[in-house]
């Protein structure tokens, strides 16, 4: 096993652990108070209405249109609809950038399938399935490289020239765009050198089998791989993982309008939270440095004058 | 301007000039604006104002460097607490997500009426104050935060100037959350403002005086943020009954503390003082529809407001729990919230997870109940009595933040002749805030009223004027229906400041007043336009 393979495994391990930890961190945070924002697709009211529009809503069975959530979210993720509607000048560059990434990930998945069947001797020259995977790798990856490069370049220019963005853009943001841009560009050059992705597939196969890399790899291919390995390990530590907020902020915040109807799970969480100690220091809170719980301070009215008539 | 510049040592970071403001529509397209009144010299010496020359908080300047240092430490300590589940289980998850994930795309900026109408002043961008907080958290509270801080984009200095400006800046956003509704990654910069206000209040005791000392404290001490005591409420209700008799020719008994009633109706107590026609109209409608309800005169129970919603979770919980306790003691089946937007959200949505389900009590919007009354046919309405143009303001709290969009529209369509009701653009869940949201309507310290007039209220004024273009002749009386006390207060202030009624014939009222005006049984007009009654206000 070579140095590159070890680096790739390590990078994958860092990604899985760091990204998993991030998901776990948010998934295990306390249930917050409701903070929904309308329209909520599962309410099924295209004008943005909610169950609060119905008299005695708590007596009625709630109907949640879960498919409506997908009808909203799929175009949002694939086509970045919010940016298309509300920030078109940025969308012209952000869309190809993201679509380029999605296509490259698709290409990588098909490269993996091709590498997997290759373990069993199925190669594009002798297997229709392997040939299909090879074609799909090309169909996804090559447009991905092109769109990604256009998007990254466009975003760099946009962030350099648009006065709305220059003040909020830091050196690290340019570094991230350049990093991904180089990944796309070198990937494209690798494809020019190896249009069938044979070397890449062989490398992937070596990763799947923990075996040696049999095909020689060009210098640019090594560079492309190192850029990828570095990015894979770096990515979970950056705000570029905004798919995390896209999931939690919509599904668990903006669309979380489940009313409290005495559900046992919700009740036990609320009881647990009300027992948390409070250490807020302002005088009116009267937390006594953590001696009091949320239940204590919320049920105390420091100003109540029992004799008031 | 980069967010890092907030810590710059300078007398004033930004100046609001009237020539920079976004223009208003006809007939205010050539209007000469009155600029923000500068603070007096003695005020400048006392209060922090170095953000934009405006003091909303009348925040005193620290007297010694040691005091400055203590305040800076208190701020950092508060920020740390904001990021713990014990101290902030209420909002931890959305806060942490919003702090971590801004994509710096500025899509939110164009959605913000304060940013747009100020003439696109950078400090009012929804991301500006949020970014300041993000940068402080990264640099001062995360491991290795100071390493390559400039390259990583969070090299911000934390000094008293930063904190004083941030405190004021937390009160330049109405928490309307339009910014959150357009963010492509779901970040909620409105929430960050909310959390920032909490940090200042819960850790440092800093808040707008009208929403804390004169707001939630008064509410818990006397029973109402207006200062109205329990004893005074019964007297006021009696006056209302007299006024109802005078207006309708019928004596109606407004039920108080009726055990076992179906409904506990809670008004914003400001209505009793500023717009008594509103609770009177509720009484007339509920009586005519045969609704079994009661008002409460128990401490806190006669004022639906909950100012803690805007700045302090503890004050919020104290008031919300009192509302629920009072309803349970009365044995009502549900609480109905009068025409008060933030009370809607406070009691229906935010308070929903404060107690185990068995201790909760159903809460309902008056808009929904009023629409049900209209649909039931129990009251006959004659739309020709409301034969004037009308538009509807959508209170953010009840509409974008609760999804109550249709009921109030269905009511208007039932009580106005066809073609008289027109929407503002945009409307519904895409509405613009009145400019008085998050406490601004009642905040009047320093020269803050000028800022509200010129910046936060400007977009709504433009929308109102646009809704009636082509009918600007003052002899054509036109109405803005604003079913929310705070929105009404803000709209009243804007209409009066710009002499809108005199110049265009546009005035404002709530939803129930329009309903009673259209009742077949109502012999005299219920609405009074300015100049028609004894008072200027209806």
């Amino acid at each position: 096993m070579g140095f590159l393979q070890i680096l790739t495994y390590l990078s994958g391990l860092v990604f899985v652990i760091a990204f998993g930890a991030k998901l776990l961190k948010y998934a295990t945070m306390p249930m917050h108070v409701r903070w929904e924002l309308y329209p909520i697709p599962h309410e099924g009211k295209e004008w943005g209405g909610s169950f609060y529009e119905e008299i005695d809503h708590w007596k009625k069975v709630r109907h949640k249109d879960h498919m409506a959530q997908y009808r909203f979210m799929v175009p949002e993720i694939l086509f970045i609809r919010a940016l298309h509607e509300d920030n078109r000048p940025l969308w012209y560059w952000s869309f190809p950038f993201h679509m380029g990434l999605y296509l490259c990930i698709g290409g990588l998945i098909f490269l993996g399938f091709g590498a997997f069947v290759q373990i069993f001797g199925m190669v594009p020259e002798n297997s229709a399935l392997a040939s299909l995977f090879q074609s799909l790798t090309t169909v996804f990856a090559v447009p991905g490289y092109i769109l990604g490069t256009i998007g990254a370049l466009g975003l760099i220019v946009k962030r350099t020239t648009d006065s709305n963005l220059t003040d909020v853009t830091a050196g690290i943001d340019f570094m991230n765009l350049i990093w991904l841009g180089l990944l796309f560009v070198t990937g494209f050059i690798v494809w020019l050198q190896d249009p069938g992705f044979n070397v890449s597939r062989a490398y992937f196969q070596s990763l799947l089998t923990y075996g040696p890399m049999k095909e020689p790899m060009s210098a640019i291919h090594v560079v492309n791989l190192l850029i990828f390995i570095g990015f894979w390990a770096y990515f979970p530590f950056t705000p570029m993982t905004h798919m995390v907020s896209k999931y939690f902020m919509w599904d668990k915040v903006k669309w979380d309008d489940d009313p409290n109807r005495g559900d046992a799970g919700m009740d036990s969480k609320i009881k647990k939270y009300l027992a948390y100690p409070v250490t807020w220091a302002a005088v009116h809170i009267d937390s006594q440095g953590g001696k009091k719980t949320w239940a204590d301070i919320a049920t105390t009215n420091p100003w109540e004058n029992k004799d008031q008539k | 301007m980069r967010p890092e510049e907030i810590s710059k040592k300078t007398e004033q970071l930004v100046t609001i000039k009237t020539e920079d403001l976004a223009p208003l529509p006809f007939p205010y397209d050539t209007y000469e604006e009155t600029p923000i009144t500068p603070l007096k010299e003695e005020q400048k010496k006392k209060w922090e104002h170095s953000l934009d020359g405006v003091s909303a908080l009348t925040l005193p300047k620290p007297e010694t460097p040691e005091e400055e240092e203590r305040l800076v430490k208190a701020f950092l300590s508060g920020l740390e607490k904001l990021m713990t589940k014990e101290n902030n289980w209420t909002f931890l998850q959305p806060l942490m997500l919003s702090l971590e994930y801004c994509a710096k795309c500025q899509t939110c900026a164009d959605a913000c009426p304060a940013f747009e109408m100020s003439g696109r002043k950078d400090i009012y961008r929804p991301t500006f104050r949020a970014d300041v907080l993000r940068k402080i958290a990264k640099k001062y509270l995360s491991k290795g935060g100071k390493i390559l801080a400039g390259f990583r984009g969070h090299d911000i200095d934390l000094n008293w100037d930063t904190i004083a400006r941030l405190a004021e800046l937390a009160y330049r956003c109405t928490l309307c959350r339009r910014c959150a509704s357009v963010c492509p990654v779901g970040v909620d910069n409105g929430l960050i403002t909310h959390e920032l206000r909490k940090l200042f209040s819960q850790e440092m005791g800093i808040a707008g005086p009208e929403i804390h000392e004169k707001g939630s404290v008064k509410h818990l001490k006397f029973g109402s943020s207006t200062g109205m005591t329990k004893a005074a409420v019964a007297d006021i209700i009696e006056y209302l009954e007299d006024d109802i008799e005078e207006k309708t020719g019928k004596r109606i008994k407004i039920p108080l503390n009726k055990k076992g009633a179906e409904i506990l109706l809670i008004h914003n107590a400001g209505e009793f003082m500023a717009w008594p026609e509103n609770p009177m109209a509720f009484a007339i409608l509920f009586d005519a529809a045969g609704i079994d309800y009661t008002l409460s005169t128990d401490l806190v129970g006669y004022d639906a407001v909950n100012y803690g919603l805007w700045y302090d979770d503890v004050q919020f919980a104290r008031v919300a729990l009192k509302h629920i306790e009072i309803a349970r003691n009365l044995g009502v089946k549900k609480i109905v919230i009068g025409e008060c937007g933030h009370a809607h959200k406070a009691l229906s949505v935010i308070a929903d997870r404060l107690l185990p389900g068995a201790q909760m009590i159903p809460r309902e919007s008056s808009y929904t109940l009023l629409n049900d009354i209209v649909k039931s046919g129990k009251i006959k309405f004659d739309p020709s009595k409301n034969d004037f143009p009308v538009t509807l303001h959508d209170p953010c709290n009840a509409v974008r933040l609760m999804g109550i969009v249709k009921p109030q529209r269905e009511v208007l369509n039932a009580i106005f002749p066809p073609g008289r009701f027109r929407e503002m653009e945009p409307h519904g869940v895409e509405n613009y805030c009145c400019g008085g949201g998050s406490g601004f309507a009642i905040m009047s310290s320093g020269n803050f009223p000028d800022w509200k007039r010129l910046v936060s209220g400007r977009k709504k004024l433009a929308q109102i004027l646009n809704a009636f273009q082509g009918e600007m002749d003052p002899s054509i009386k036109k109405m803005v229906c604003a079913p929310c006390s705070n929105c009404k207060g803000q709209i009243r202030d804007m209409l009066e400041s710009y002499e809108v009624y005199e110049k265009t014939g546009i005035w404002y009222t709530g939803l129930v007043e329009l309903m009673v005006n259209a009742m077949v049984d109502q012999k005299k007009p219920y609405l009074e336009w300015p100049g028609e009654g004894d008072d200027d206000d209806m």
Side-chain angles (χ1 to χ4, degrees):
Chain A
M1 191 181 299
F3 182 63
L4 276 177
Q5 278 110 319
I6 291 170
L7 274 185
T8 312
Y9 290 133
L10 282 176
S11 166
L13 193 67
V14 170
F15 173 83
V16 170
I17 292 171
F19 196 68
K22 184 163 272 194
L23 289 175
L24 200 65
K25 178 178 91 171
Y26 286 112
T28 55
M29 281 182 178
M31 171 187 74
H32 47 81
V33 295
R34 282 171 53 195
W35 193 246
E36 66 248 36
L37 194 60
Y38 292 84
I40 297 180
H42 65 230
E43 289 294 327
K45 296 177 173 179
E46 72 272 11
W47 60 92
S50 73
F51 57 84
Y52 286 116
E53 294 186 324
E54 293 156 35
I55 195 86
D56 292 341
H57 62 82
W58 55 93
K59 293 181 181 168
K60 294 170 185 164
V61 179
R62 281 194 76 199
H63 296 287
K64 288 171 87 170
D65 182 0
H66 292 288
M67 286 312 291
Q69 297 186 183
Y70 298 110
R71 285 196 296 275
F72 174 91
M73 200 39 97
V74 170
E76 177 57 45
I77 292 169
L78 284 181
F79 304 112
I80 320 176
R81 184 172 53 188
L83 216 53
H84 182 263
E85 287 174 5
D86 297 306
N87 194 351
R88 192 70 60 89
L90 193 62
W91 180 86
Y92 289 128
W93 307 111
S94 186
F95 170 68
F97 179 75
H98 283 88
M99 186 51 76
L101 272 175
Y102 300 154
L103 290 173
C104 284
I105 291 167
L108 195 62
I109 290 168
F110 285 115
L111 186 74
F113 289 162
F116 181 73
V117 298
Q118 198 163 275
I119 296 170
F120 306 101
M122 296 161 73
V123 291
E125 289 76 22
N126 68 13
S127 159
L129 185 62
S131 177
L132 176 68
F133 288 147
Q134 183 190 41
S135 302
L136 286 171
T137 303
T138 312
V139 165
F140 275 78
V142 178
Y145 293 143
I146 295 167
L147 283 173
T149 305
I150 292 169
L153 278 173
L155 287 172
I156 290 167
V157 172
K158 189 87 184 143
R159 288 202 171 272
T160 315
T161 55
D162 186 334
S163 60
N164 270 317
L165 300 176
T166 47
D167 281 348
V168 294
T169 306
I172 198 166
D173 302 313
F174 288 115
M175 184 190 84
N176 293 340
L177 286 169
I178 291 167
W179 198 332
L180 277 164
L182 286 174
L183 186 63
F184 294 129
V185 171
T186 54
F188 186 75
I189 297 170
V190 168
W191 170 73
L192 288 177
Q193 289 178 344
D194 177 20
F197 288 105
N198 295 324
V199 179
S200 302
R201 198 165 49 252
Y203 181 71
F204 210 136
Q205 187 184 348
S206 78
L207 291 173
L208 293 175
T209 58
Y210 307 102
M213 171 65 184
K214 290 171 186 165
E215 302 276 345
M217 197 176 267
S218 69
I220 190 72
H221 201 154
V222 173
V223 169
N224 174 249
L225 204 50
L226 286 172
I227 291 172
F228 170 77
I229 288 167
F231 190 80
W232 202 17
Y234 165 69
F235 174 73
F237 301 98
T238 72
M240 286 185 283
T241 48
H242 47 237
M243 67 288 293
V244 174
S245 75
K246 212 145 184 160
Y247 169 69
F248 284 104
M249 281 303 289
W250 262 281
D251 202 62
K252 303 295 177 200
V253 181
K254 290 181 181 182
W255 293 351
D256 177 9
D257 62 345
D258 285 341
N260 180 359
R261 291 184 175 174
D263 159 68
M266 195 181 279
D267 276 1
S268 72
K269 284 179 188 168
I270 292 170
K271 285 176 189 165
K272 184 175 150 192
Y273 304 152
L274 292 177
Y276 281 155
V278 182
T279 59
W280 289 109
V283 176
H284 71 274
I285 306 285
D286 189 27
S287 69
Q288 296 178 14
K291 285 184 191 153
K292 291 193 174 177
T293 64
W294 276 95
D296 295 331
I297 59 167
T299 53
T300 306
N301 179 355
W303 300 279
E304 184 166 7
N305 176 1
K306 305 281 182 202
D307 301 328
Q308 195 197 123
K309 293 278 183 294
Chain B
M1 180 183 292
R2 300 182 73 88
E4 288 86 342
E5 291 179 53
I6 196 168
S7 49
K8 206 159 72 175
K9 292 276 174 202
T10 179
E11 170 76 20
Q12 190 174 316
L13 213 53
V14 163
T15 302
I16 308 297
K17 296 178 188 154
T18 53
E19 59 268 31
D20 292 342
L21 302 172
L24 289 171
F26 176 82
Y28 292 89
D29 44 346
T30 54
Y31 185 77
E32 196 171 324
E33 294 281 4
T34 312
I36 290 177
T37 315
L39 292 171
K40 294 177 186 137
E41 280 311 311
E42 65 268 27
Q43 292 174 324
K44 283 184 181 176
K45 278 182 199 155
K46 272 192 302 186
W47 301 335
E48 289 294 345
H49 61 279
S50 68
L51 176 75
D52 50 7
V54 175
S55 171
L57 303 179
T58 58
L59 182 62
K61 291 184 172 179
E63 288 176 2
T64 61
E66 291 74 31
E67 193 187 351
E68 277 192 17
E69 198 182 329
R70 183 183 62 74
L71 289 164
V72 170
K73 279 186 184 158
F75 179 86
L76 265 186
S77 160
L79 185 52
E80 248 175 326
K81 288 175 191 174
L82 211 52
M83 297 196 276
T84 63
K85 67 178 182 184
E86 288 79 10
N87 279 301
N88 198 24
W89 63 270
T90 47
F91 287 96
L92 185 69
Q93 190 190 49
L95 170 67
M96 297 307 283
L97 287 160
S98 294
L99 282 177
E100 183 168 353
Y101 281 110
C102 178
K104 306 177 184 179
C105 66
Q106 292 299 316
T107 306
C108 54
D110 285 331
C112 174
F115 172 65
E116 180 195 346
M117 302 313 277
S118 70
R120 303 176 72 83
K121 293 276 180 269
D122 285 330
I123 58 165
Y124 304 141
R125 285 179 188 274
T127 53
F128 191 91
R129 67 181 74 75
D131 271 349
V132 171
L133 200 66
R134 286 185 185 105
K135 288 167 196 282
I136 294 171
K138 275 187 194 161
K139 183 173 174 183
Y140 294 93
L141 295 180
S142 67
K143 277 182 196 161
K146 291 182 181 166
I147 300 168
L148 294 175
F151 175 71
R152 290 158 68 198
H154 55 253
D155 194 10
I156 192 163
D157 287 333
L158 184 59
N159 52 34
W160 172 246
D161 289 312
T162 312
I163 290 166
R165 286 169 182 154
L166 205 47
E168 280 291 340
L169 203 45
Y171 289 85
R172 299 293 186 276
C173 159
T174 64
L175 307 182
C176 78
R177 296 177 69 206
R178 265 190 124 246
C179 55
S181 63
V182 300
C183 177
V185 291
V187 162
D188 191 339
N189 286 309
L191 172 77
I192 291 180
T193 307
H194 177 262
E195 298 298 287
L196 194 52
R197 290 185 181 190
K198 274 169 49 183
L199 186 169
F200 279 114
S201 175
Q202 295 173 189
E203 187 68 10
M204 305 172 76
I206 295 171
E210 296 85 357
I211 62 174
H212 184 63
E213 293 98 327
K214 298 177 195 167
S216 68
V217 171
K218 254 185 170 177
H219 197 181
L220 289 160
K221 190 172 185 178
F222 300 111
S224 164
S225 58
T226 58
M228 190 192 301
T229 60
K230 292 197 279 186
V233 184
D235 289 343
I236 289 172
I237 299 292
E238 226 177 284
Y239 290 134
L240 295 189
E241 288 169 350
D242 294 343
D243 284 352
I244 289 171
E245 191 171 10
E246 198 178 299
K247 274 192 167 265
T248 65
K250 187 181 173 189
R251 185 82 191 170
I252 290 173
K253 184 75 193 153
I254 298 176
L256 295 179
N257 306 315
K258 184 180 161 193
K259 291 252 179 193
E262 286 277 321
I263 290 171
L264 168 64
L265 173 66
I266 318 185
H267 294 294
N268 178 323
E271 300 279 359
F272 294 123
M273 320 285 274
W275 303 283
E277 291 79 8
N278 184 276
M280 283 161 57
F282 267 101
I284 295 165
L285 288 164
F286 280 21
D287 177 74
I291 288 182
D292 178 20
Y293 79 106
T294 185
L295 303 189
S296 167
T297 59
D298 207 348
L299 188 85
V300 179
Y302 48 91
D303 196 349
V305 306
N306 192 339
Y307 295 170
L309 176 75
W310 305 316
Y311 78 102
D312 192 305
D313 282 350
V314 175
Q315 293 294 82
F316 170 81
R318 285 170 173 160
V319 169
L321 294 185
K322 285 296 285 182
H323 283 144
I324 291 164
E325 181 194 333
I326 288 161
R328 287 177 60 82
N329 288 343
L330 284 168
V332 298
K333 294 198 171 55
K334 62 182 172 186
I335 299 172
V336 169
I337 302 147
E339 293 189 7
C340 177
H342 88 272
H344 267 72
K345 192 179 76 167
L347 200 50
S348 306
V349 177
I350 311 294
D352 197 38
R353 291 177 184 168
L354 290 188
L355 287 173
Q359 295 174 44
M360 295 302 287
I361 192 155
R363 286 88 65 209
E364 187 163 81
S365 165
S366 54
Y367 309 170
T368 307
L369 182 62
L370 293 167
N371 191 29
D372 193 61
I373 291 172
V374 171
K375 286 195 289 191
S376 72
K378 286 177 185 165
I379 301 177
K380 296 279 173 275
F381 295 100
D382 176 3
S384 69
K385 291 183 164 191
N386 280 337
D387 195 11
F388 47 83
V390 66
T391 189
L392 175 68
H393 165 66
D394 285 304
C396 302
N397 282 300
V399 180
R400 181 166 39 257
L401 310 183
M402 273 183 79
I404 307 174
V405 185
K406 262 197 173 175
Q408 58 274 41
R409 290 174 162 75
E410 289 181 356
V411 169
L412 285 180
N413 280 320
I415 63 170
F416 274 81
R420 285 307 208 179
F421 168 47
R422 76 280 317 273
E423 294 279 12
M424 295 186 201
E425 291 303 334
H427 58 268
V429 292
E430 293 178 3
N431 75 315
Y432 280 103
C433 172
C434 62
S438 81
F440 287 7
I442 53 162
M443 287 174 67
S444 54
S445 292
N447 50 0
F448 190 58
D450 284 344
W451 188 86
K452 288 191 289 178
R453 169 176 55 84
L454 287 179
V455 181
S456 71
R458 196 170 183 82
K459 190 69 187 184
K460 183 53 64 180
L461 178 60
Q463 274 198 298
I464 290 171
L465 294 169
N466 279 330
F468 296 115
Q469 285 299 321
E471 295 169 296
M472 283 302 177
D473 182 341
S475 68
I476 306 171
K477 289 175 181 171
K478 301 166 277 285
M479 194 61 92
V480 180
C481 172
C484 164
S485 305
N486 285 338
C487 301
K488 269 194 303 200
Q490 169 69 15
I491 290 170
R492 172 197 59 201
D493 292 351
M494 291 299 286
L495 298 186
E496 288 179 354
S497 296
Y498 284 85
E499 299 176 318
V500 174
Y501 183 72
E502 293 76 4
K503 291 183 199 301
T504 69
I506 299 172
W507 198 235
Y508 73 97
T509 189
L511 184 63
V512 280
E513 293 91 321
L514 292 167
M515 289 176 74
V516 173
N517 199 55
M519 281 173 70
V520 170
D521 289 347
Q522 177 63 26
K523 302 299 173 209
K524 290 191 290 185
Y526 190 76
L527 288 177
E528 283 174 16
W529 298 83
E532 282 185 356
D534 295 331
D535 303 322
D536 264 3
D537 286 359
M538 282 180 300

